[in-house]
Amino acid sequence: MNFEMDEVGRDIIEKARQLFNEHGVEAVNMHQIAKKAGIGQGTLYRRFPNKGALCMSVLDSQFEQFKANMMRELTDKAAEPVVIRLSAFIQGLLFFSLELREYIRPILSAICTDDKNNQDWFQAEPYTFMHATISGLLEEAAAARQLRPQILPTIAASLLISSFSPELMAHFEEQGYSKEFISEQCRATFIEPLFLEASEADYDGN
């Protein structure tokens, strides 16, 4: 039985969402969530082994919307060079991680402290979607001889995904950098060097 999707599981997710919206994700603990849902902590932990797993479930609807938006944007830009499409996707990931970083922190914390969760993350839909999209774009560039020959798309995709630290992005914002400026720096530092040619002219009008 998928406990997350039964009536009790759905109620836990909704009560957690209410608490997170009211108090902030970091201020809410699992005991408060169990109390709000009117269940014992054992029942809560059988469905969600940690706060990170619960945050992942709360984020599901936001992620599905993000996924739909990004696929639509990539379709709209289908005629654009790969570097443009990849930059748009990475910018979307960056903005998403900034907007929802309070949820992402406990997810990453759970991953870092539990080897099983670490393996689960690489099988989870958010990671597989991001990795498949990025590596697919890089493979397209490689086939067109636009990618530097030493770049392995599957490894490069994993490294790009790992660069989205919510703490680092928050630190940049606290330093007064706009999300647009952070995105530009990410493009110049991590994306353009992957390609044999990526001139400023490629970005005119984007």
Side-chain angles (χ1 to χ4, degrees):
M1 181 179 188
N2 187 343
F3 286 128
E4 179 184 325
M5 298 306 295
D6 68 9
E7 184 176 351
V8 174
R10 290 192 296 270
D11 188 57
I12 291 170
I13 292 170
E14 180 54 34
K15 294 301 191 300
R17 191 194 309 275
Q18 293 172 12
L19 286 171
F20 293 156
N21 289 341
E22 183 177 354
H23 304 289
V25 176
E26 293 186 359
V28 176
N29 58 43
M30 295 292 271
H31 173 74
Q32 292 170 303
I33 294 169
K35 185 176 179 181
K36 177 79 170 177
I39 58 173
Q41 291 194 67
T43 300
L44 174 61
Y45 280 106
R46 277 195 295 275
R47 287 162 171 79
F48 304 98
N50 52 60
K51 188 174 171 182
L54 182 50
C55 283
M56 181 76 81
S57 294
V58 174
L59 274 178
D60 273 351
S61 60
Q62 287 95 326
F63 177 75
E64 286 304 315
Q65 185 60 54
F66 161 77
K67 180 178 176 180
N69 290 342
M70 292 311 305
M71 293 307 295
R72 183 166 54 252
E73 182 170 358
L74 288 175
T75 299
D76 291 343
K77 293 180 179 292
E80 299 283 355
V82 174
V83 66
I84 294 293
R85 284 177 279 149
L86 180 58
S87 295
F89 185 76
I90 295 299
Q91 177 175 277
L93 283 179
L94 189 151
F95 287 5
F96 183 75
S97 67
L98 281 170
E99 181 182 353
L100 298 170
R101 62 178 174 266
E102 261 202 289
Y103 286 89
I104 296 172
R105 283 193 182 106
I107 293 171
L108 294 180
S109 177
I111 290 168
C112 292
T113 57
D114 188 319
D115 288 340
K116 181 177 183 301
N117 282 329
N118 186 44
Q119 293 304 312
D120 287 348
W121 165 243
F122 295 108
Q123 304 300 321
E125 185 183 1
Y127 184 87
T128 57
F129 167 69
M130 291 185 290
H131 191 274
T133 303
I134 295 172
S135 61
L137 288 168
L138 292 175
E139 286 166 3
E140 180 183 339
R145 299 185 182 275
Q146 297 170 355
L147 199 68
R148 294 187 180 278
Q150 66 269 38
I151 300 298
L152 184 63
T154 55
I155 298 297
S158 296
L159 291 171
L160 279 170
I161 294 168
S162 70
S163 70
F164 288 94
S165 160
E167 288 78 12
L168 181 59
M169 297 300 112
H171 172 69
F172 285 152
E173 277 201 322
E174 290 165 3
Q175 296 299 306
Y177 298 118
S178 70
K179 62 183 183 181
E180 290 79 13
F181 180 79
I182 298 170
S183 176
E184 290 172 5
Q185 290 296 302
C186 183
R187 171 171 64 84
T189 305
F190 297 114
I191 299 174
E192 288 182 355
L194 301 175
F195 293 82
L196 291 172
E197 294 182 7
S199 68
E200 288 298 319
D202 288 334
Y203 298 90
D204 288 349
N206 292 281

